[in-house]
Amino acid sequence: MKLTVVGTGYVGLVSGACLAEMGNDVVCLDVDAQKIAILQGGGIPIHEPGLDQVVVRNVAAGRLSFTTDVERAVAHGVLQFIAVGTPPDEDGSADLQYVLAAARNIGRHMGEYKVIVDKSTVPVGTADKVRAAVAEALAERGQAIDFSVVSNPEFLKEGAAVDDFMRPDRIVIGAEDERAIRLMRDLYAPFQRNHDKLVVMDLRSAELTKYAANAMLATRISFMNELALLAERVGADIEQVRLGIGSDPRIGFSFLYSGCGYGGSCFPKDVKALIRTAEESGRELRVLRAVEDANEAQKRVLIDKVVQRFGADLSGRRFALWGLAFKPNTDDMREAPSRVVIDALLGRGASVRAYDPIAMREARRTLGEHPRLGFADSAGDALQEADALVIVTEWKEFRSPDFARIRAALKQPVIFDGRNMFNPAAVEAQGIEYHAIGRLGAKG
Ligand SMILES: NC(=O)c1ccc[n+]([C@@H]2O[C@H](COP(=O)([O-])OP(=O)(O)OC[C@H]3O[C@@H](n4cnc5c(N)ncnc54)[C@H](O)[C@@H]3O)[C@@H](O)[C@H]2O)c1
């Protein structure tokens, strides 16, 4: 099939490349000329495991190309995927300006039937707005060309995006006409040879499904984070509790880790947007409000522990910081808890020397210059001259560190672990003071 993907970010580039991998002929469009130039030059503007091989292979096969030429892109695909950003507006609602701009462009240039597929995460009712934007652009041209609008929310996880796209748990399709549903079924047939994964529903339910999924996952995290703080108070170990409840099949083990808060480009903004949707429709989502409040507080838990240990005035202190990305296997720094921790440490006069296996370039770009913020070449290098180590992202390479080396390098052998990576007793046995989140045997 001929496909166009509008927006070549984490979702657009992965979707475009994986759809080309299945034999489709894909054109990826972006307004960011720099991004397109990198891709046309054989580079990949983001870090996503395995993505480079898929892109290179499909570009070489002539099935995948990149452009800033709107007219060419719209003319190409019978299916037009919209995968542009939907950042939070000032009031927390999803800002739809990029989605609607993409829709208008399609209306301005289409010359035959198109299926316009919303892949961006968009609030309930957006399909109607997309339909109106396309219809208005067509009317301005005096054209009456048939088109369909479909909602096809994306559930891939950064860091495992290619795998997730190639082997989806489910493919949600919100659509109201048979012609569009048939095309979507044909498109996704190669992704579900094992069993039918397509869940076809009405448009509004599909739009709400994406928010419901992220809100549920965020809820599990905030729930465990609050329980971890309670565990600290009452002398219990959240890790034991996690094992104890996760083994219940009704609960399961996923997304039960406590830590220093969720971040990233999706959970924070999607939770806010769903709360806003509820407000606008006159219904309050009380549970979700609490989820958001708990997460805001949780992002400050690490810094509270540092202050409790070293005092409120941290001037003259230096902290090693391991992990900048909002989670492992990505370079994404959007809403990363590391940003809150770094801001708070710098704000209290401390110096920070940070290390991340992948996100250093992105961190330099997003955090900007600060005279007391430096970046180390390795995890070991970050420790030099530091008073203590703060761990914010659970990268694999931090899982089994040389504790003797950490103890020797730090001025004071203290670890603040925002991801509960180690066994408290084992770390303490190495002569290191260990502060974790809700762990028995660690310092509070
Ligand atoms: N990142 C994720 O893990 C993830 C997962 C599922 C869903 N989503 C959703 O998918 C959407 C995209 O997210 P992302 O992380 O890929 O965003 P992103 O910021 O990485 O990419 C968006 C791209 O769209 C481009 N763009 C903006 N306006 C455009 C226009 N009019 N025409 C062409 N290109 C345009 C931008 O230049 C940018 O390159 C969001 O709604 C997000 O919530 C993201």
Side-chain angles (χ1 to χ4, degrees):
M1 268 190 215
K2 285 190 167 187
L3 313 175
T4 297
V5 180
V6 185
T8 313
Y10 287 86
V11 167
L13 182 55
V14 170
S15 307
C18 292
L19 288 166
E21 181 81 351
M22 291 299 187
N24 297 292
D25 179 359
V26 182
V27 169
C28 289
L29 169 76
D30 207 290
V31 287
D32 183 340
Q34 211 183 345
K35 203 174 259 190
I36 293 299
I38 293 172
L39 287 160
Q40 285 172 337
I44 306 284
I46 54 169
H47 174 80
E48 196 51 60
L51 180 59
D52 47 353
Q53 289 105 301
V54 185
V55 170
V56 166
R57 195 164 45 240
N58 286 284
V59 168
R63 287 191 297 263
L64 180 62
S65 64
F66 305 99
T67 186
T68 54
D69 181 343
V70 177
E71 211 171 324
R72 190 194 134 208
V74 174
H76 178 78
V78 60
L79 299 182
Q80 302 270 320
F81 287 86
I82 299 182
V84 301
T86 45
D89 222 334
E90 273 159 27
D91 61 0
S93 63
D95 180 352
L96 289 179
Q97 62 168 310
Y98 307 106
V99 170
L100 296 179
R104 274 192 297 274
N105 279 338
I106 296 168
R108 265 181 214 132
H109 297 289
M110 63 190 268
E112 59 195 349
Y113 175 73
K114 303 276 177 197
V115 182
I116 297 147
V117 186
D118 281 339
K119 209 166 222 338
S120 299
T121 303
V122 289
V124 176
T126 301
D128 294 339
K129 293 183 182 167
V130 165
R131 191 178 290 114
V134 176
E136 197 181 307
L138 282 170
E140 277 166 18
R141 291 164 57 201
Q143 298 278 345
I145 304 168
D146 194 16
F147 68 93
S148 307
V149 177
V150 168
S151 165
N152 171 216
E154 183 50 57
F155 297 97
L156 63 77
K157 301 182 288 296
E158 283 179 25
V162 172
D163 265 4
D164 285 349
F165 197 94
M166 296 305 277
R167 276 179 284 278
D169 306 316
R170 76 302 208 186
I171 299 161
V172 171
I173 304 292
E176 273 143 28
D177 70 276
E178 278 309 317
R179 186 176 180 185
I181 294 172
R182 208 171 45 247
L183 281 166
M184 297 304 285
R185 272 195 196 284
D186 290 349
L187 178 75
Y188 280 116
F191 295 87
Q192 45 177 346
R193 288 167 62 87
N194 190 277
H195 64 276
D196 190 2
K197 294 172 181 168
L198 227 63
V199 187
V200 180
M201 56 181 82
D202 65 280
L203 277 156
R204 284 174 177 249
S205 301
E207 289 169 335
L208 187 56
T209 296
K210 172 64 193 178
Y211 284 101
N214 276 357
M216 170 68 91
L217 295 172
T219 302
R220 285 172 72 103
I221 296 174
S222 276
F223 175 76
M224 287 308 282
N225 281 338
E226 287 206 309
L227 272 192
L229 301 185
L230 176 65
E232 285 180 8
R233 280 287 169 90
V234 298
D237 187 339
I238 196 64
E239 186 55 17
Q240 300 306 317
V241 176
R242 182 184 75 79
L243 295 171
I245 63 172
S247 44
D248 183 333
R250 292 169 304 175
I251 296 175
F253 285 106
S254 302
F255 276 80
L256 287 186
Y257 290 98
S258 47
C260 54
Y262 62 72
S265 65
C266 291
F267 286 6
K269 83 169 170 59
D270 292 350
V271 165
K272 280 192 180 70
L274 186 54
I275 290 172
R276 192 76 198 115
T277 297
E279 277 170 4
E280 280 167 8
S281 65
R283 272 244 71 100
E284 216 194 326
L285 289 178
R286 284 165 295 197
V287 172
L288 213 50
R289 255 187 202 294
V291 166
E292 198 192 15
D293 287 352
N295 193 57
E296 282 311 302
Q298 198 70 16
K299 287 199 266 183
R300 305 202 54 83
V301 161
L302 268 183
I303 194 72
D304 291 347
K305 288 175 189 281
V306 171
V307 166
Q308 215 169 30
R309 174 63 176 75
F310 287 102
D313 179 8
L314 298 174
S315 41
R317 302 253 178 221
R318 179 199 270 216
F319 292 88
L321 189 126
W322 284 3
L324 290 159
F326 85 91
K327 68 173 183 179
N329 298 325
T330 182
D331 59 349
D332 201 336
M333 289 288 298
R334 288 177 281 188
E335 301 268 342
S338 66
R339 300 171 76 147
V340 176
V341 173
I342 290 172
D343 273 357
L345 290 172
L346 295 175
R348 290 178 180 278
S351 305
V352 176
R353 211 165 144 70
Y355 169 73
D356 187 286
I358 293 290
M360 302 276 270
R361 197 181 50 166
E362 187 58 16
R364 279 201 173 89
R365 194 181 69 76
T366 46
L367 299 174
E369 300 264 324
H370 188 288
R372 280 182 280 110
L373 173 62
F375 296 94
D377 293 332
S378 65
D381 181 26
L383 300 170
Q384 303 310 317
E385 310 282 313
D387 286 276
L389 166 63
V390 182
I391 303 177
V392 189
T393 318
E394 67 278 32
W395 284 94
K396 278 204 184 82
E397 72 169 72
F398 304 152
R399 278 195 196 165
S400 200
D402 181 343
F403 287 110
R405 223 180 126 200
I406 294 179
R407 193 183 57 235
L410 292 175
K411 282 198 218 155
Q412 311 194 33
V414 185
I415 296 178
F416 297 93
D417 180 358
R419 298 295 170 193
N420 284 353
M421 295 188 70
F422 313 124
N423 176 334
V427 183
E428 297 270 343
Q430 300 272 349
I432 296 174
E433 188 181 313
Y434 184 54
H435 299 259
I437 318 270
R439 297 300 314 271
L440 198 59
K443 301 275 181 296

